[in-house]
Amino acid sequence: MNTRIFQVGSLLLTTMLLSSCSTSASHVSAVPDGACDKVAHYDLPAQRFDETAQQLAHATGCFIRTDLENTGSVTVSPVKGEMSIRQALEAALRGTQLSITASQPDTLTVY
């Protein structure tokens, strides 16, 4: 199983990929529950799950645990608006075979 965790500052992606991120995230408030409950504004297109996960994790510091061999290439829905990363991830996964299978204040697991 090829499990990956996305976190701010620890992503092993090329500079080109990072500079092409289209996330428009501005932190509005932090809920004391954890990093996955921080509210931000998102404007993400429909794209591969691995791209969406990277952008959401980078914007908030919430870990997203997944097996990219099985989930990375799945196309997810666009996400637009002000919401928590948890809500943004739920919106992105709507209509796909993927779902949040475990949820903690600072970590979300998707399979």
Side-chain angles (χ1 to χ4, degrees), residues 43-66:
D43 190 4
L44 303 174
Q47 59 189 354
R48 291 170 48 107
F49 171 70
D50 56 355
E51 295 170 317
T52 294
Q54 186 271 329
Q55 291 172 324
L56 291 173
H58 180 70
T60 63
C62 174
F63 293 94
I64 298 176
R65 182 184 308 265
T66 192

Side-chain angles (χ1 to χ4, degrees), residues 2-101:
N2 184 13
T3 301
R4 305 263 174 106
I5 299 176
F6 293 96
Q7 178 191 17
V8 175
S10 67
L11 295 173
L12 299 175
L13 298 175
T14 64
T15 304
M16 184 185 318
L17 178 60
L18 291 175
S19 66
S20 68
C21 289
S22 62
T23 302
S24 159
S26 58
H27 299 287
V28 176
S29 65
V31 177
D33 292 333
C36 298
D37 297 298
K38 290 180 183 175
V39 175
H41 181 80
Y42 300 99
D43 190 4
L44 303 174
Q47 59 189 354
R48 291 170 48 107
F49 171 70
D50 56 355
E51 295 170 317
T52 294
Q54 186 271 329
Q55 291 172 324
L56 291 173
H58 180 70
T60 63
C62 174
F63 293 94
I64 298 176
R65 182 184 308 265
T66 192
D67 178 357
L68 288 179
E69 285 184 24
N70 295 317
T71 64
S73 63
V74 173
T75 300
V76 296
S77 300
V79 177
K80 187 169 186 164
E82 192 170 300
M83 62 193 84
S84 71
I85 184 177
R86 189 180 318 277
Q87 294 167 321
L89 192 54
E90 288 171 352
L93 298 178
R94 216 171 275 131
T96 72
Q97 74 271 24
L98 303 179
S99 64
I100 298 173
T101 59

